[in-house]
Amino acid sequence: AGQTVISRNTISRNGWLTSGGDGGGIRITGHTNGLTITGNTIRSNRGLGMSVGMFVVAARNAVVRSNAISWNGIGGRDLGIGILVGFPNGLMISNNRIFENGATNFGAGVYVTSNGMGNIRNNDIYSNFRYGGAFGDGPSSAVGIMIDAGSTPNIRGNRIYENQERGAGNKSGTGIVLAQIGSNPEIRS
């Protein structure tokens, strides 16, 4: 079997806009080995529930490189996330621009959950946000990188800045959040 490659596409304005509907640009679940996602523009994908630019679950040896991932979740109610990963083995997220992803309740550039392992290297992760709403996930609900549920990614050489909550009375944002006991990422410059 050959390697799956998603390259040089514009993936925009996908989603479900009814109550609780999710939206996403790319959704990979259970892809077994050797996926490459490179050189894409993934923007303005949204839903009223979870809005994700790229959703990657249970991928082995996947590469997410040199993509521009932005404006996912805008207008969404619950979650606006650039890249959401879970159960990866050997995942490499590198040299991406991940910015301006957010929603009313939670916004993040990269969210690693469900015992995620892999590498997050040399990305620009900035201006991801939360606006309004009463929901708060841990110490902040506007983050650059969120590490959750025993995940152990290797985070190196990223530029993470200006991730924040917007609007009157909101809290400040956070660059990197370790949200659950048992998260043991390696974070270095």
Side-chain angles (χ1 to χ4, degrees):
Q3 181 181 13
T4 300
V5 176
I6 300 171
S7 179
R8 299 185 336 206
N9 298 287
T10 297
I11 302 166
S12 180
R13 299 180 55 134
N14 298 289
W16 185 262
L17 298 179
T18 62
S19 180
D22 295 340
I26 297 175
R27 182 180 292 236
I28 306 295
T29 55
H31 191 279
T32 57
N33 201 10
L35 170 70
T36 299
I37 301 171
T38 185
N40 298 287
T41 299
I42 303 165
R43 69 170 177 248
S44 301
N45 297 288
R46 65 187 184 129
L48 292 179
M50 179 173 65
S51 303
V52 179
M54 189 180 307
F55 182 73
V56 181
V57 175
R60 287 192 318 231
N61 303 315
V63 175
V64 177
R65 179 182 59 237
S66 301
N67 299 284
I69 303 166
S70 65
W71 293 97
N72 295 290
I74 306 305
R77 183 178 61 220
D78 293 333
L79 308 172
I81 301 169
I83 301 175
L84 175 63
V85 295
F87 300 109
N89 183 5
L91 175 68
M92 171 64 80
I93 298 172
S94 67
N95 300 309
N96 298 284
R97 289 180 47 235
I98 305 166
F99 62 98
E100 294 285 343
N101 298 287
T104 303
N105 290 332
F106 179 82
V110 179
Y111 191 144
V112 182
T113 186
S114 304
N115 298 310
M117 299 183 317
N119 296 287
I120 302 170
R121 294 188 179 171
N122 303 318
N123 299 284
D124 288 315
I125 302 171
Y126 61 95
S127 297
N128 297 288
F129 64 91
R130 169 192 180 255
Y131 57 91
F135 177 80
D137 193 308
S140 176
S141 49
V143 301
I145 299 175
M146 173 76 108
I147 309 300
D148 198 7
S151 299
T152 57
N154 180 329
I155 302 168
R156 291 187 185 183
N158 297 285
R159 289 156 301 284
I160 304 166
Y161 57 95
E162 295 180 6
N163 297 286
Q164 58 196 324
E165 297 202 27
R166 298 179 180 171
N170 288 330
K171 303 179 286 182
S172 62
T174 305
I176 298 173
V177 173
L178 306 178
Q180 299 289 329
I181 296 172
S183 293
N184 297 303
E186 179 179 333
I187 302 171
R188 294 198 274 178
S189 61

